[in-house]
Amino acid sequence: MKSDNKYDKKKLIILRAALIALGAAVGGTAVWQYFVFYPQVMREEFRIIVIIVSALALAALLGLSAKPLYNLFVSVRGVVGSELSALGGKGVAAVVLGLVTAGVFAFVVDVMIKAVYDILAVRILIGVLVYIVFAALCCYGFTRFLAEDEEKAMPIKFNRGYLLTVDSLFDERVDTVAQALPNVKTLDNAYKALLLAGGDGNAAALRLSNLVSSGSVAVIRSTADFSSMDEYREIEKKIALSKRLKRVTVDGVQDDGALSIELFAKPQDNSEPI
């Protein structure tokens, strides 16, 4: 699988175009305002050339930064999204608080810059960057803080059913699990995770589709995004914990009481499933 497959091409094109436009606007405006404040530094006939070059340079720099920034946004959205799925209303409140806190930080930074270097375009650029960075950090920090409190306060009582992990879907014994256990569920993002896994992912996706269509497995909606199998497994753990579901895994019994699929018989086996 090529590495570019992890990018949504349309979103990446939109992000790159936005970054190029932002870079050109801010780069040109910043140098133009610099000449307005300090006209003596360069002759007027050369200023337009410098403004254009500055706009193109910053536009190219931000345009080339599209993929790293895309990865950053996806990663932050995946982490925060998984916490939001688990925390519900408290998670939304944590994100709102994070955005407001980031706005306060950006305002304080802008006041400090204005006292020393009052060029509007530079202040806008720095303010936007500060807000984005602090918004990501604050939203992540507040949601993680609430999630840890929830995990500590919530007794681990799995009495609401079972969650099929994406790894278990590759095993044919998952059919036995769906028939033998009550209230078996999976995440709606499991199909995307199976595609990321590659290999026998298509067969596993078909197996899951049959289980869902037959009514043996229910689907839980998840808003969390991810770009790798490891990120998806973390999302599974968080949602299983928040919804009091025992995970069905391919490994042995885990600390959270997950069941190993090896405890169950294969569909063609005549022995009684556990």
Side-chain angles (χ1 to χ4, degrees):
M1 184 181 293
K2 294 181 180 180
S3 59
D4 284 348
N5 289 345
K6 66 181 180 178
Y7 299 104
D8 184 313
K9 290 184 178 179
K10 290 183 179 179
K11 292 180 180 178
L12 185 60
I13 290 172
I14 293 172
L15 176 62
R16 180 171 282 123
L19 289 172
I20 290 173
L22 176 65
V26 173
T29 305
V31 177
W32 166 64
Q33 286 212 331
Y34 181 82
F35 288 145
V36 170
F37 276 83
Y38 307 103
Q40 70 278 8
V41 298
M42 184 174 291
R43 293 171 58 180
E44 187 172 354
E45 57 268 26
F46 296 126
R47 294 177 189 172
I48 185 62
I49 298 175
V50 176
I51 291 172
I52 293 173
V53 170
S54 299
L56 292 176
L58 189 54
L61 178 62
L62 292 183
L64 293 173
S65 303
K67 284 187 178 181
L69 289 173
Y70 181 96
N71 289 332
L72 174 63
F73 295 148
V74 169
S75 178
V76 171
R77 187 178 69 174
V79 172
V80 175
S82 66
E83 304 295 358
L84 283 177
S85 297
L87 292 171
K90 289 184 179 179
V92 174
V95 170
V96 172
L97 181 60
L99 296 176
V100 172
T101 304
V104 173
F105 276 115
F107 175 75
V108 172
V109 170
D110 180 67
V111 171
M112 295 171 62
I113 294 174
K114 184 177 180 181
V116 179
Y117 202 63
D118 191 15
I119 296 180
L120 181 60
V122 175
R123 287 169 49 203
I124 291 174
L125 176 60
I126 295 176
V128 169
L129 292 176
V130 168
Y131 182 78
I132 291 174
V133 171
F134 275 97
L137 293 175
C138 291
C139 289
Y140 175 80
F142 289 146
T143 52
R144 280 303 305 150
F145 176 77
L146 282 180
E148 289 176 359
D149 279 354
E150 287 283 318
E151 291 170 5
K152 291 177 181 177
M154 182 170 50
I156 302 179
K157 293 181 180 179
F158 302 96
N159 55 4
R160 296 184 180 177
Y162 300 84
L163 180 71
L164 295 178
T165 62
V166 67
D167 297 309
S168 69
L169 295 170
F170 287 91
D171 195 311
E172 60 182 344
R173 284 173 288 195
V174 74
D175 296 328
T176 306
V177 173
Q179 296 299 323
L181 297 177
N183 199 20
V184 179
K185 301 179 183 294
T186 191
L187 302 184
D188 58 354
N189 282 337
Y191 293 101
K192 176 183 174 182
L194 289 171
L195 293 177
L196 282 176
D200 297 329
N202 291 334
L206 178 60
R207 181 179 294 116
L208 175 59
S209 180
N210 291 334
L211 290 172
V212 172
S213 61
S214 68
S216 301
V217 174
V219 176
I220 299 174
R221 189 172 183 276
S222 171
T223 58
D225 199 3
F226 57 93
S227 58
S228 69
M229 288 293 289
D230 288 338
E231 289 180 9
Y232 180 75
R233 292 186 183 100
E234 288 302 315
I235 292 170
E236 284 182 330
K237 290 179 181 178
K238 294 179 187 301
I239 294 181
L241 182 63
S242 68
K243 295 185 178 297
R244 314 289 179 86
L245 300 172
K246 272 193 178 183
R247 292 183 303 120
V248 179
T249 71
V250 296
D251 303 314
V253 177
Q254 306 292 304
D255 292 340
D256 60 1
L259 291 178
S260 172
I261 201 168
E262 294 181 359
L263 296 173
F264 297 83
K266 293 183 178 180
Q268 67 271 23
D269 198 329
N270 293 326
S271 60
E272 291 291 328
I274 295 178

